[in-house]
Amino acid sequence: MPTLILVRHGRSTANTSGVLAGWTPGVTLDERGAAQAAALPERLAALPISEVVTSPLQRCQETVRPLLEARPGLRAHTDERIGECHYGDWSGRKLAELKDEPLMEVVQAHPSAAAFPGGESLRAMQTRAAEAVREWNARVERDHGADAVYLMCSHGDIIKSLVADALGLHLDLFQRISVEPCSVTAIRYTRLRPFLVRLGDTGDFASLAPREEPGEGDAPVGGGAGAP
């Protein structure tokens, strides 16, 4: 079965302003995110990408644009199932405010039980994304062969949930996974099992350096802004 390249969108204006964007319209890449997207074609130059599938949200569409321009024959498909989690009433709110919500403790420690008011559950988010991947695996293999490589551009929580699915991890453990903006994660699917062959690869180790203000150990909802 095919190899799936999962790309998280580049750093967005919501990431840098500390806002949980969700499906809020008008969230674009910031200057650094645009530079990350511009570097993507060279980073992926060695890969014979057969298809590109992207979230409908603007920050993902902007992330894949340089890659599509560099490969005029490559077609992009939009699939809402790999769109961001529907955070409902939390969308557009500051993450600093949300950390005091009782639900945030559930999101961190027991995400399989977390459902956002006016939105969806994390469990439903994972299910729709995993179903999309399985359908695209079959479609890509049918059209391009079992050794094909294809790319999906999506969001932090979506990609983390897909990695958990590939590893057979319970969703309650998915907050232990980290994927930075414009990072590349690769999963090779086979008849018997998937293999995680890259996780959150940016080629930049700046995010591993100690930070002036260490975090409290919580996983950033939506994926975080990455290295400063």
Side-chain angles (χ1 to χ4, degrees):
M1 295 178 71
T3 296
L4 170 61
I5 307 299
L6 288 162
V7 175
R8 185 183 167 200
H9 62 77
R11 196 175 74 175
S12 73
T13 53
N15 293 145
T16 47
S17 61
V19 169
L20 184 61
W23 285 70
T24 305
V27 176
T28 67
L29 298 183
D30 68 4
E31 185 175 351
R32 180 173 179 175
Q36 291 171 332
L40 199 57
E42 184 175 352
R43 289 172 62 197
L44 301 177
L47 296 179
I49 297 171
S50 59
E51 302 278 3
V52 170
V53 187
T54 178
S55 157
L57 295 173
Q58 184 174 348
R59 52 198 183 273
C60 288
Q61 302 277 337
E62 291 179 353
T63 299
V64 298
R65 190 173 298 149
L67 178 64
L68 296 173
E69 291 173 351
R71 303 192 189 197
L74 195 57
R75 182 183 173 193
H77 309 267
T78 298
D79 193 326
E80 290 196 358
R81 293 174 297 176
I82 62 166
E84 181 62 284
C85 183
H86 291 277
Y87 296 116
D89 297 344
W90 280 27
S91 298
R93 293 181 59 187
K94 289 278 190 180
L95 289 167
E97 299 172 1
L98 292 170
K99 70 177 183 180
D100 295 325
E101 293 278 354
L103 178 60
M104 182 60 84
E105 185 177 7
V106 182
V107 170
Q108 293 294 324
H110 190 19
S112 66
F116 297 97
E120 70 178 336
S121 67
L122 287 169
R123 189 174 62 254
M125 176 203 74
Q126 183 188 45
T127 297
R128 63 173 163 85
E131 287 177 350
V133 166
R134 282 160 176 72
E135 289 182 20
W136 277 102
N137 281 348
R139 177 172 173 175
V140 169
E141 181 172 4
R142 180 197 69 201
D143 294 345
H144 302 283
D147 295 325
V149 177
Y150 75 107
L151 181 146
M152 281 186 169
C153 185
S154 188
H155 307 266
D157 283 346
I158 292 282
I159 294 172
K160 288 162 56 178
S161 75
L162 290 171
V163 170
D165 175 75
L167 293 175
L169 292 178
H170 196 283
L171 185 61
D172 284 346
L173 301 179
F174 100 124
Q175 298 290 28
R176 302 184 182 195
I177 299 166
S178 176
V179 289
E180 292 204 355
C182 224
S183 62
V184 173
T185 294
I187 302 171
R188 180 171 297 128
Y189 289 87
T190 73
R191 186 174 65 86
L192 296 181
R193 65 183 66 85
F195 292 90
L196 179 65
V197 292
R198 291 289 189 281
L199 176 62
D201 189 341
T202 63
D204 179 0
F205 297 105
S207 65
L208 302 181
R211 301 195 180 187
E212 292 183 6
E213 298 181 1
E216 298 178 354
D218 284 347
V221 182

